[in-house]
Structures are given as structure tokens and as C-alpha cells.
Amino acid sequence: MAQMNFGGVMENVVTREEFPLEKAREILKDETIAVLGYGVQGPGQACNLRDNGFNVIVGQREGKTYDKAVADGWVPGETLFSIEEAAKKGTIVCMLLSDAAQIAIWPKVKPYLTAGKALYFSHGFGITYKERTNIIPPADIDVIMVAPKGSGTSLRTMFLEGRGLNSSYAVYQDATGRATERTLAFGIGIGSGYLFETTFKREVYSDLTGERGSLMGAIQGLLLAQYEVLREHGHTPSEAFNETVEELTQSLMPLFAKNGMDWMYANCSTTAQRGALDWMGPFHDAIKPVMEKLYHSVETGNEAQISIDSNSQPDYREKLNAELKALRESEMWQTAVTVRKLRPENN
């Protein structure tokens, strides 16, 4: 573990150079990693671990997702089992089901969490809000987390490209004295670029804020607001979309991801520089109170309760599909379909 300077703040990080894959394999050589759930994070983590030489099994109910696991090479009765059977066989039991599914399946998994096992998460939700989820682990097991900072699809894609997706890690409960080394070995095993230390609470607070904020909620709200203003002032759908989304995602994001926003400001036109510098303040001042309100809602457990209540409704999936359909069929994202077809790589 090394300390790195992040903007003047020192943080603990673990790299693949100081914690090589061979060391991770040695630490977990006697473990059976049971990945419960093959939806969002499950495929990427399970397949990366398998390809890196770890002993992995998958637990999944039969259905479309089960069939996907079979298609990915998991063999029923050998490496693919029911959730309960996998939990029984595993020494590291990975709760990679959705938050709602974790709550539902917990009573069936808990009896198999015998002394010395590790209970693994990639999200702090179930443990941080345990009074609401009732996910209260036994005292004689390790409770650990590695949270990739991206989707399971990105984790897998970057792994296959020889790159790594950064992850946070945390130990909530160390019953064996080996919890930290198990956690770091697991993080290296799934292909993390580097690992940075957090807590279950900090992870879930930042994650819920991020996905409601700059990663999804706020970015959709910002894009739609600009698109609507341009359309309402007579700009065509193509022009509004290109100026709002296409230039951002296809041209600018890769550049400031690589070089930083300061570089971006220094390498655009003087007109763009002046306007960006002048308007970043008003946008910041307008948005920060909303972000504070959002963080407070996360911190108090309100966001967690909304999610739990919503996901437990019998018509949840029907309502969700209706909301997603409205988003998909909006003019902005229907324009995106045409614009994507016109990209040079598609012609």
C-alpha cells in the first residue's frame, strides 16, 4: 500500500505493481469464490476472475440471466448452481445481486455464511442501511467490498483490452485477521487498475450521489435543458443534438478525460475560453444547492428508502419500463439514433 497525492490530499492506494496477480492468486488459492447474481456486475467480475485463474462458481436462478451464464461458459452442476447451493459451496460469497434482490434473498443466504467465510459486496447499500435492509452479517465472518468505478460491462471490456477499471475497497468486519488481504487480492483478481481505500458508508454515499448527479441524473437534466432551449429558439434537432451531446461525447470528453479541463480551456478558441470561464461560476452556483440537497437525502437514508419502497412494489417493473420508454422515445434520444447511424464508422 502506498500513499499518493491527490490534489494536495494524501490517500492510500494499491497498484498492480505492488500487489501483483501472482500474489493475489496465492492468497486466494484455497478459496471458492461464489458469485451470486449474473446481472450487472456479476458477469464482468466472474469472468475476469475465471480468466485470471481463480476458482469461481456462479449462483443464479433459472431464466434469461441463467442462460446468459451458460452462454458465457458456466456449466450447470459444475460451475453454475442455484443461489443457495453456490452460497453453501463458496468460501467468499459475493452479493452481486441488485440491492432489492439482496434484501429478498438474504434470509436464504445467511444460513450458509459459516465461521471464517467472507461476505463480499461491490456496493455499500445493504450494510450501510442494514436497519432498513435487515442484512446483518454474523460476527464470525469477514465482510469486505471492492467497488469498481464503472459498469460490469466496462470492467470486462477494459480487462479484455489489457486495461483496468479503478476500484475502491473497504473492510467492514475482520473476523479472520485476513480480511484486508482477501479484499485486495479480490480487487486485483477482477482486474482493477488501482484500488483506493474507502468505507462502506462513504462508498454508498458517493455512489448514490454520483449516479443521481453528474453520472446520470444531472447530466440528463443538463443535456435536455440545453437541447430544449436550442429547439425552442428555432434550431433543428440535428443541430441541437450535435451541439449538446455529440460534440461533448465524441470530441471533448476523450480529450479532457486524458488531459484535464484546464487543458481543454487552454486549447479552445479565445471566444470559447472567455464564455466558459464566465459561465462556469453561474452554473456552479445554481447547481451546488441542488447537490447539497441530494447529498442530504442520501445521508439521511431517504434515497435508500425511496429505492427500497419503489423496488418492492408489484408493478415496479411495469412503471420503470414506461419511464424508460418515455426517455427512449423523446425527441433528443430519437435524434441520437439517426446521428449515430451517420457517424463515419457506421458508413
Side-chain angles (χ1 to χ4, degrees), residues 214-252:
S214 66
L215 301 180
M216 294 176 69
I219 193 68
Q220 167 63 15
L222 171 64
L223 296 177
L224 182 59
Q226 179 171 305
Y227 180 87
E228 288 175 341
V229 167
L230 290 173
R231 289 288 289 121
E232 288 160 6
H233 285 271
H235 299 269
T236 65
S238 178
E239 184 171 49
F241 186 85
N242 272 278
E243 202 61 47
T244 300
V245 180
E246 192 74 354
E247 184 174 353
L248 172 68
T249 59
Q250 300 305 299
S251 175
L252 302 186

Side-chain angles (χ1 to χ4, degrees), residues 314-332:
D315 60 349
Y316 163 71
R317 183 60 60 179
E318 181 183 338
K319 288 181 177 177
L320 173 66
N321 288 338
E323 289 181 281
L324 295 178
K325 181 174 183 288
L327 185 63
R328 181 173 61 252
E329 294 181 354
S330 67
E331 184 187 276
M332 185 170 77

Side-chain angles (χ1 to χ4, degrees), residues 57-227:
I57 61 174
V58 170
Q60 176 61 44
R61 296 188 189 91
E62 291 194 13
K64 288 183 179 180
T65 307
Y66 185 95
D67 295 340
K68 178 183 182 333
V70 172
D72 285 348
W74 303 98
V75 181
E78 294 182 16
T79 56
L80 179 59
F81 303 92
S82 69
I83 288 175
E84 295 87 344
E85 186 67 18
K88 180 180 180 180
K89 291 177 178 293
T91 59
I92 300 179
V93 179
C94 307
M95 291 285 271
L96 296 184
L97 300 138
S98 69
D99 294 327
Q102 287 182 27
I103 295 170
I105 204 69
W106 176 248
K108 297 180 180 180
V109 171
K110 187 175 181 179
Y112 300 112
L113 298 174
T114 51
K117 287 192 176 187
L119 177 62
Y120 168 93
F121 295 87
S122 282
H123 188 28
F125 190 99
I127 294 293
T128 299
Y129 301 113
K130 58 184 181 295
E131 292 81 7
R132 302 170 189 265
T133 65
N134 291 316
I135 298 178
I136 302 172
D140 55 2
I141 66 168
D142 293 341
V143 181
I144 63 178
M145 177 177 67
V146 176
K149 297 297 103 180
S151 69
T153 300
S154 298
L155 183 73
R156 182 61 175 165
T157 299
M158 293 175 74
F159 176 86
L160 293 173
E161 293 172 350
R163 301 187 293 147
L165 187 65
N166 299 332
S167 303
S168 61
Y169 74 93
V171 173
Y172 177 79
Q173 185 169 283
D174 184 1
T176 66
R178 298 181 52 241
T180 298
E181 68 173 13
R182 277 170 136 178
T183 307
L184 295 177
F186 202 105
I188 296 300
I190 64 172
S192 299
Y194 75 85
L195 295 147
F196 60 95
E197 193 172 17
T198 189
T199 66
F200 273 62
K201 182 180 288 187
R202 289 198 341 244
E203 189 283 330
V204 74
Y205 284 9
S206 61
D207 188 78
L208 294 185
T209 300
E211 63 198 14
R212 284 151 178 77
S214 66
L215 301 180
M216 294 176 69
I219 193 68
Q220 167 63 15
L222 171 64
L223 296 177
L224 182 59
Q226 179 171 305
Y227 180 87

